[in-house]
Amino acid sequence: RPIAGRSAAASSAARARFGRAVVSALESVRTVKLAAATPQVHAHLQHVDAGRVEAAVKEHRVQAFLDGVPALMVQCGVVAAWGIYFGGGWGLATALLVANAVSGFDWFGRVAGMVVTEAPGTRAWQKETSRFAGGRDLMDLPPGVDLVTGDAPDPGPVEQVPLESLELSALSAVHDDGTIGVSDVSLTIERGELVLLVGQVGSGKSSLLASLAGLIEHTGTIRWNDELVQDPQSFLRPGQVAYVAQVPRVLSGTFADNIRLGHDRPFDSPVADARLELDVKEAGGADAIVGHRGVRLSGGQVQRLALARALAADTELLLADDVSSALDAATEIELWRALRDRHTTVIGATSKRAALAQADRVVVMVDGEIAAVGPWTELAPAWSHLAG
Ligand SMILES: Nc1ncnc2c1ncn2[C@@H]1O[C@H](COP(=O)(O)OP(=O)(O)O)[C@@H](O)[C@H]1O
Ligand SMILES: [Mg+2]
């Protein structure tokens, strides 16, 4: 019986291993094709699958053997009972009783056998599936989480760590599908600095900013005051770092809902700083509805709303992707000046010359790499074609 258990476990494990291999191969199918690695992936899948077939065959053999043995034993028991009766050892009543009891044991035997043979397989299967889901036992919910009512504890307060310097070294930003958006970025940003990225579409500005917001994976290192950021997804989150996406998300609620996001945060001053004051007033105030995911707002309003939301969080670092498209040049410069007065450290992407002139340093991005870093006065002669 233990042999069957082990075999079932091995078969489940092999099944899960093959499942994982297939899923990752399918997920990265584009990358595989681009790398012309299809034959290698086929060979790998065949190799992994060979183990599965072997384990399954073994499992079925043991299963068949174990299914046969209890039935055979029971039949032998029945024959033996009648044998003893005919041999004169037992009376009719005893022989009937024993033969019936032995037949009944067939059922008990099967159930007991199943407990022994199925349990390890089930356990192995559960273990492999939870490994698949990130190494956690899926039945084991975090405290306070109720899946039926949808209740969960509030996230803990973010302890703001004042930013002295942000050091990026050999940083590459990797998108979910494996595309490397930007590579080998080494740059140190000091507290209160305004650093603006400039480059053509696809040069990697958004990827770099998203990796600094912990939204996409990175390789290389990010150091926050010499401290290595180990878990970017939780360390670089709102409260510590604010991020304005190139195409921000808007909630289907009011202006105030969108800016406060359920926290106790200011409304008026961030709205004023983001130049959204007039729009809010015209729409009917802080409690005016923005429509389903902001359908009532223009593209520029959406970006200014996202900017106000980021400013309301009063974070150590502000990442602002392409706010130029939402603001006219004069307003953008006012905004950068206002942020500078607040000593907020800002890394932004822009395409406006006048804004670049305001930056402490401009980072020129070409094809996913840094091509030049410095004040715009130095860079303008060579790179002014990238800005409008
Ligand atoms: N979500 C994404 N998934 C996969 N690849 C992406 C994604 N976003 C951008 N990229 C790729 O990353 C590279 C850099 O793009 P991006 O960072 O958007 O540049 P920029 O913001 O300078 O226009 C491009 O090759 C682009 O195709
Ligand atoms: Mg972009």
Side-chain angles (χ1 to χ4, degrees):
R1 300 246 152 131
I3 297 170
R6 241 177 289 142
S7 146
S11 163
S12 305
R15 235 173 0 236
R17 216 157 33 233
F18 180 64
R20 266 203 307 278
V22 169
V23 170
S24 49
L26 289 178
E27 271 186 349
S28 45
V29 72
R30 229 165 23 141
T31 318
V32 168
K33 279 192 177 162
L34 282 174
T38 315
Q40 287 90 326
V41 171
H42 275 165
H44 174 65
L45 286 179
Q46 257 156 19
H47 170 72
V48 182
D49 194 35
R52 184 181 69 100
V53 171
E54 204 174 288
V57 168
K58 201 168 133 201
E59 181 185 352
H60 283 296
R61 281 200 187 129
V62 176
Q63 198 91 48
F65 174 72
L66 284 175
D67 280 347
V69 169
L72 202 69
M73 301 276 283
V74 164
Q75 296 312 318
C76 290
V78 172
V79 170
W82 287 114
I84 296 172
Y85 165 72
F86 284 118
W90 284 342
L92 181 62
T94 314
L96 270 174
L97 193 70
V98 172
N100 275 325
V102 166
S103 301
F105 268 110
D106 180 28
W107 185 78
F108 287 111
R110 273 174 209 277
V111 173
M114 241 144 49
V115 168
V116 175
T117 55
E118 300 290 319
T122 312
R123 255 202 306 278
W125 177 251
Q126 199 188 6
K127 221 169 78 187
E128 288 294 327
T129 24
S130 19
R131 228 156 61 109
F132 208 9
R136 292 194 310 109
D137 185 345
L138 296 179
M139 307 305 286
D140 195 11
L141 289 179
V145 171
D146 187 333
L147 294 183
V148 178
T149 59
D151 286 334
D154 288 335
V158 176
E159 196 199 328
Q160 281 199 1
V161 182
L163 177 65
E164 296 305 329
S165 72
L166 185 73
E167 189 189 330
L168 319 177
S169 59
L171 184 86
S172 295
V174 188
H175 287 281
D176 291 345
D177 65 356
T179 310
I180 296 183
V182 68
S183 61
D184 204 22
V185 170
S186 294
L187 194 65
T188 303
I189 293 134
E190 300 297 334
R191 176 177 192 79
E193 236 189 323
L194 170 57
V195 175
L196 292 177
L197 312 176
V198 67
Q200 282 177 346
V201 172
S203 59
K205 306 180 293 291
S206 297
S207 305
L208 177 58
L209 293 173
S211 70
L212 296 181
L215 294 171
I216 63 172
E217 301 283 334
H218 72 261
T219 59
T221 57
I222 301 176
R223 285 175 190 278
W224 186 282
N225 307 342
D226 294 336
E227 192 86 37
L228 186 67
V229 175
Q230 305 268 16
D231 181 7
Q233 285 187 14
S234 54
F235 184 79
L236 301 171
R237 73 186 162 120
Q240 194 87 258
V241 176
Y243 170 73
V244 183
Q246 194 163 2
V247 184
R249 286 186 199 192
V250 179
L251 308 177
S252 322
T254 66
F255 282 98
D257 291 339
N258 268 287
I259 287 167
R260 295 208 179 103
L261 295 178
H263 296 271
D264 183 18
R265 285 180 182 164
F267 180 84
D268 292 335
S269 72
V271 164
D273 285 347
R275 311 291 150 186
L276 191 67
E277 219 167 12
L278 200 62
D279 310 71
V280 172
K281 207 156 109 195
E282 278 173 3
D287 294 326
I289 302 284
V290 298
H292 179 68
R293 296 194 177 177
V295 283
R296 294 193 189 169
L297 306 178
S298 71
Q301 284 174 327
V302 166
Q303 270 224 317
R304 276 176 281 146
L305 179 67
L307 189 58
R309 176 194 289 164
L311 295 175
D314 192 24
T315 54
E316 288 296 311
L317 176 64
L318 174 69
L319 305 169
D321 198 351
D322 200 24
V323 284
S324 311
S325 56
L327 307 170
D328 60 63
T331 322
E332 190 182 342
I333 289 161
E334 273 179 54
L335 172 76
W336 298 134
R337 285 220 181 105
L339 289 173
R340 153 140 329 143
D341 292 343
R342 286 163 73 160
H343 300 293
T344 311
T345 312
V346 181
I347 309 176
T350 188
S351 52
K352 293 220 174 86
R353 273 183 207 142
L356 292 167
Q358 292 289 316
D360 295 301
R361 277 187 298 162
V362 170
V363 177
V364 179
M365 311 280 311
V366 175
D367 293 338
E369 287 186 31
I370 293 184
V373 183
W376 186 240
T377 44
E378 279 174 23
L379 300 181
W383 301 104
S384 72
H385 60 281
L386 292 176

